[in-house]
Structures are given as structure tokens and as C-alpha cells.
């Protein structure tokens, strides 16, 4: 639910103004020590990005990852193929 709301807010910044703020306060409270001990799940975790996944794949070699992500051929390589 949280991720769906976050994505909706990113796509529609003019919507959910008060609801999204309440959601952020709820998540901040969920990270507090007393509440996190009571919850049976972790409400917040690190966002995985393409860069973080590539760093893991290439053993943390930032030079290789940055050169791959900055390669001028990348947009062509990931472009959708239309039939």
C-alpha cells in the first residue's frame, strides 16, 4: 500500500496532498524505537536502484558501474522494440 501510494504521488503531485503527508508521518512514527518494537514488520527499507543493483553485481566497483550507466549506447540498448 505504501509503495503504491508513493508511486501515485510521484506521478500525480497535485493529488493526495493531505493524505500523502499523513502517510509520511505514519511511516516516520513506525521507525521510532517504541513502535518499531511493537510492529511485526519493517515499514521502511532502502529503495533499490539500478545503480545499487549493478554495484552489488560488480562487487562495488563504482568505476565500472558509472561507465556502464554513462555509456552513450545505453538509451539504444534499453529502448522498447516496436513491431
Amino acid at each position: 500500500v505504501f509503495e503504491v501510494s508513493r508511486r501515485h504521488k510521484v506521478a500525480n503531485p497535485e493529488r493526495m496532498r493531505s493524505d500523502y503527508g499523513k502517510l509520511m508521518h505514519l511511516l516516520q512514527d513506525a521507525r521510532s524505537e517504541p513502535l518499531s518494537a511493537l510492529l511485526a514488520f519493517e515499514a521502511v527499507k532502502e529503495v533499490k536502484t539500478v545503480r545499487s543493483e549493478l554495484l552489488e553485481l560488480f562487487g562495488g566497483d563504482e568505476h565500472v558501474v558509472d561507465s556502464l550507466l554513462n555509456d552513450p549506447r545505453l538509451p539504444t540498448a534499453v529502448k522498447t522494440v516496436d513491431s
Side-chain angles (χ1 to χ4, degrees):
V1 173
F2 297 121
E3 182 62 16
V4 171
S5 298
R6 185 192 69 80
R7 287 175 186 244
H8 179 73
K9 180 64 179 171
V10 168
N12 304 288
E14 72 285 352
R15 295 195 167 172
M16 293 178 51
R17 290 190 189 274
S18 64
D19 294 333
Y20 188 74
K22 291 175 190 174
L23 177 64
M24 292 300 103
H25 287 291
L26 177 71
L27 288 174
Q28 288 174 350
D29 290 344
R31 296 215 53 189
S32 71
E33 193 64 38
L35 285 178
S36 65
L38 294 173
L39 294 175
F41 67 96
E42 182 65 36
V44 179
K45 67 181 194 179
E46 189 174 330
V47 175
K48 285 191 173 190
T49 63
V50 171
R51 187 173 193 282
S52 66
E53 289 293 309
L54 287 173
L55 282 169
E56 187 176 318
L57 181 67
F58 288 105
D61 190 342
E62 291 187 12
H63 178 71
V64 172
V65 170
D66 289 340
S67 66
L68 179 63
L69 291 174
N70 293 319
D71 191 314
R73 300 171 293 176
L74 183 63
T76 304
V78 298
K79 188 175 180 180
T80 304
V81 178
D82 296 324
S83 56

